[in-house]
Amino acid sequence: MRNQRSAGTLGIVICLALAACGFGSGSGDDDVLGGSRTVTGEVVSFESDDAIAGAASISTSGLDPAPIVTAQGSSFTIDGIPENSTFQILGAVTPTHRATFQTVSVVASDVSDVRVRLLSESYLATLASGFGVTPSAAKGILLARLVDGAGAAKAGVPGSNLVVAGANGPFFLDAEMMPQTGATATSASGWVVFFELPVGVVELGQAAAPTVVLEMAASPVAAGSVTLATIKVTDGAPVLPTNVSFSQQIVPIFALPPTGRGCVACHSGGGPGKDLGGLNLGGGVNLSYTELLEERPNVRVNLAMPERSLLMTMPSRESPPDRHPNTTFTSSTDPDYLKILVWIREGAKKN
């Protein structure tokens, strides 16, 4: 299959940078954060990487308000995307190719030549038949590729590390991206499949005895759809950070890319996150600490339930979504998410 020859450059998760973050009062607005950018690209076959004949249907998930989408044949343009935004494109060409989500990121410039890869109905039937499953129309399918830090396929990752709540799997594809029945670890292709995903947001769960660190962006799942993802693999069991410093490790997260996650693009100056959300993260260590800990006690930072802090939930992908306009932390295994989580667990000190 032609897709295998270019597997190292599939780019299903395109430049997984992160969006301007926000966690104000919860009252949303329809302003575009920062500059407005454009994404252009083409809908192609997952199996062959060729453009798909027919009129493509294109929409987006993860941005509020939704950007403007225009499509002509297999080509598309998406206008009005806030800078520092990570979101999903949902493409479909019926009846030949299944509706498929994949993740795209925009930092501070337009993005061109995006290739939205759709799985054909015939290929999905081959996978289902090969693994002896009967996918239901009410559930979704996750097809993910495990890669190393350089983006190359990662072979030999045991399936015991891969946990997706409520799903049927993992099932593994061979080097030719065909069903490899009876396999218990990834092949040279790095591809893995889960069937019967519940509708909502899919995220990797915690294995009982993990041997590797896995990072996958939380992604939407719709009934009868496919979700494509990339899973970054780091050898060794997960280790949480300790003794996290607010001034040295937390505040830098709020800075603009490439050093930070872009939060100050919205939450400083005249940004909507400051004016409408009531949160200013652009005034240095002292002001940021006051805004997070003292202005709204146990709301922005919840010492009793750290995971429920607005500082954690508002920039994360949720189902149903909150009013935060885009996604900052791609998952609960995001390194910066974990830094903030541990900092709160350690008492949210001004250190």
Side-chain angles (χ1 to χ4, degrees), residues 9 39 42 97 105 116 138 175 182 185 191 209 217 239-240 249 262 264 266 279 293 309 313 321 329 332 342 349 351:
T9 56
V39 168
E42 187 174 32
H97 290 75
S105 182
V116 175
W191 284 101
V239 179
L240 287 175
Q249 293 171 272
V264 295
C266 174
L279 177 62
L293 272 295
S309 302
T313 62
F329 302 127
S332 60
V342 171
K349 301 173 185 176
N351 53 358

Side-chain angles (χ1 to χ4, degrees), residues 54-96:
S57 170
I58 297 289
S59 60
T60 63
S61 174
L63 294 173
D64 182 16
I68 298 171
V69 179
T70 55
Q72 183 173 7
S74 62
S75 300
F76 64 87
T77 300
I78 307 175
D79 292 305
I81 303 167
E83 291 183 352
N84 305 310
S85 290
T86 295
F87 66 102
Q88 284 76 34
I89 295 177
L90 177 63
V93 176
T94 55
T96 57

Side-chain angles (χ1 to χ4, degrees), residues 42-198:
E42 187 174 32
V43 175
V44 301
S45 166
F46 175 83
E47 301 96 278
S48 68
D49 209 34
D50 294 329
I52 298 175
S57 170
I58 297 289
S59 60
T60 63
S61 174
L63 294 173
D64 182 16
I68 298 171
V69 179
T70 55
Q72 183 173 7
S74 62
S75 300
F76 64 87
T77 300
I78 307 175
D79 292 305
I81 303 167
E83 291 183 352
N84 305 310
S85 290
T86 295
F87 66 102
Q88 284 76 34
I89 295 177
L90 177 63
V93 176
T94 55
T96 57
H97 290 75
R98 187 72 59 92
T100 304
F101 289 100
Q102 74 177 52
T103 302
V104 177
S105 182
V106 173
V107 183
S109 60
D110 296 342
V111 180
S112 60
D113 299 323
V114 172
R115 300 178 75 76
V116 175
R117 291 172 166 82
L118 308 186
L119 278 75
S120 69
E121 295 292 347
S122 60
Y123 180 63
L124 286 171
T126 297
L127 295 184
S129 174
F131 292 123
V133 299
T134 304
S136 65
K139 300 291 182 70
I141 298 170
L142 171 66
L143 187 65
R145 183 168 180 256
L146 280 72
V147 301
D148 61 19
K154 183 75 171 177
V157 179
S160 57
N161 289 280
L162 297 161
V163 177
V164 175
N168 183 5
F171 299 96
F172 298 95
L173 303 186
D174 64 18
E176 300 300 322
M177 295 169 56
M178 298 301 288
Q180 187 175 20
T181 57
T184 59
T186 54
S187 72
S189 74
W191 284 101
V192 62
V193 185
F194 288 86
F195 295 94
E196 298 298 279
L197 272 71

Side-chain angles (χ1 to χ4, degrees), residues 328-342:
T328 302
F329 302 127
T330 54
S331 72
S332 60
T333 60
D334 181 289
D336 285 336
Y337 177 98
L338 292 175
K339 288 178 188 176
I340 296 174
L341 177 63
V342 171

